[in-house]
Amino acid sequence: MPHSPLALRIANDIIARIGMGEFGTGSHLATEALAKRFEVSRSPVREALAILCDQGVIENRRNRGFFVLPSSGRKAGEAGVEPVGARESDPYYELAEDWLKDRIGADQTEQAIRDRYNLTRSQAQDLLLRASREGWAEPKPGYGWKLRQVAKTAEAFEEIYRFRAVIEPAALLEPSFRFDRTIAAALRRTQERLASGELDELAPAAMTAAGAEFHEGIIRMSGNPMFFYALERANQLRRLAEYRLKVNPQRIAVQSSEHLQILDLLAKGDNLEAAHLMRRHLSGALASKSPVVHPRADDAGRAA
């Protein structure tokens, strides 16, 4: 029986967090706590945990719950990879790619989605609700759904990064900014691992999630929730375009090194220089991503 897209997404997210060290070996994964964290019912969380049990990533200890296994105890080939059904065979990513490549129209119905991707009603609803949460689909006033143009073009993608290059440096200069050493220490551990280039056992999902968590963690320190809400929304909108982005370990290492420099400056209280570096960092990220996400016709061969 195929797994639901929502359960696969939760399973991938848990694996990403294991890869980043948030859930270490022996960590207890409580169903109710995870349901609250992902803002879902317990049913898809239980399904996600069952997927990870089957892959040997976690184990279900009788009358105690689910616990993370050491990588040496996992099934061969499973450490550091996404669960079965992720990405290539996940209908959610198929829908995103079909929309990005104009293989489907903007106006869709739940039945059309069910038929195209061979889904149950529940699976189609989960898929459309996820697209809605991530900002590129919305229910129509009467009947059906409309897929939105957000971050579908090179111009829209660049607009998001230019917007971030305005708000993120500004957030570092807020009078209410307070450097949180506990949060910074957690961010540093992840970024040091990424900057080291030793990424063989780290899932691609973990690498991409770590970048967003760094920027959202830093902007929370501004003390102004409006900055965080704006960045969170911008990250949701750009996610659609970045589904087709190939993870480049060298690029990840460079960007993570810059993240560490920003942390160093903030720790010293040099927020002005940190803001300058943040703006340069975001401009560089756009330059490295945009041609890959939206290749020009004459660059298609190089971007493949």
Side-chain angles (χ1 to χ4, degrees), residues 49 135 149 269 295:
L49 294 174
Q149 294 286 336

Side-chain angles (χ1 to χ4, degrees), residues 53-295:
C53 277
D54 289 343
Q55 291 209 352
V57 176
I58 65 175
E59 67 176 354
N60 187 2
R61 299 176 186 172
R62 185 166 181 168
N63 298 325
R64 295 185 61 195
F66 297 92
F67 293 84
V68 178
L69 288 171
S71 58
S72 60
R74 297 175 193 167
K75 297 178 183 178
E78 292 299 340
V81 300
E82 296 182 353
V84 173
R87 293 286 172 180
E88 290 81 3
S89 58
D90 186 339
Y92 184 79
Y93 297 107
E94 293 179 36
L95 172 64
E97 189 70 4
D98 285 347
W99 175 230
L100 286 167
K101 291 186 175 180
D102 294 319
R103 292 195 288 244
I104 57 176
D107 294 314
Q108 294 292 323
T109 64
E110 182 183 302
Q111 187 61 53
I113 295 296
R114 289 180 61 183
D115 293 342
R116 183 177 182 88
Y117 302 105
N118 192 28
L119 303 175
T120 65
R121 181 181 181 186
S122 176
Q123 289 171 336
Q125 290 174 342
D126 284 346
L127 184 153
L128 289 165
L129 288 173
R130 180 181 174 189
S132 177
R133 285 194 301 271
E134 296 195 354
W136 58 277
E138 59 186 0
K140 295 167 70 174
Y143 173 75
W145 290 76
K146 179 174 285 294
L147 305 185
R148 303 174 62 199
Q149 294 286 336
V150 293
K152 191 178 178 183
T153 65
E155 292 76 16
F157 189 75
E158 290 168 9
E159 286 168 359
I160 290 171
Y161 266 87
R162 288 201 299 273
F163 172 69
R164 290 182 59 197
V166 171
I167 67 166
E168 291 193 52
L172 302 184
L173 303 177
E174 278 289 281
S176 55
F177 185 95
R178 297 292 182 273
F179 185 69
D180 189 317
R181 296 189 179 278
T182 301
I183 293 175
L187 294 175
R188 180 177 292 279
R189 285 193 294 271
T190 299
Q191 296 305 314
E192 284 177 343
R193 180 176 183 186
L194 295 175
S196 72
E198 298 176 2
L199 309 176
D200 292 343
E201 295 185 357
L202 197 59
M207 294 184 236
T208 54
E213 290 200 353
F214 171 82
H215 286 273
E216 291 178 3
I218 292 296
I219 209 168
R220 279 184 183 273
M221 297 182 196
S222 71
N224 184 337
M226 297 307 298
F227 281 108
F228 173 74
Y229 297 149
L231 177 59
E232 186 179 45
R233 184 61 170 167
N235 280 340
Q236 288 175 334
L237 296 179
R238 72 183 171 92
R239 200 168 293 145
L240 170 63
E242 291 192 347
Y243 284 136
R244 62 170 59 172
L245 183 66
K246 300 296 183 183
V247 173
N248 182 329
Q250 184 177 6
R251 174 176 58 79
I252 293 290
V254 170
Q255 292 179 355
S256 296
S257 295
E258 293 176 356
H259 289 165
L260 290 171
Q261 293 174 41
I262 291 170
L263 284 173
D264 288 340
L265 290 168
L266 292 174
K268 292 189 298 184
D270 194 348
N271 287 42
L272 182 59
E273 186 57 36
H276 289 319
L277 179 54
M278 179 68 81
R279 185 174 180 85
R280 294 195 300 272
H281 168 73
L282 290 168
S283 297
L286 171 60
S288 67
K289 290 181 179 181
S290 187
V292 181
V293 179
H294 303 283

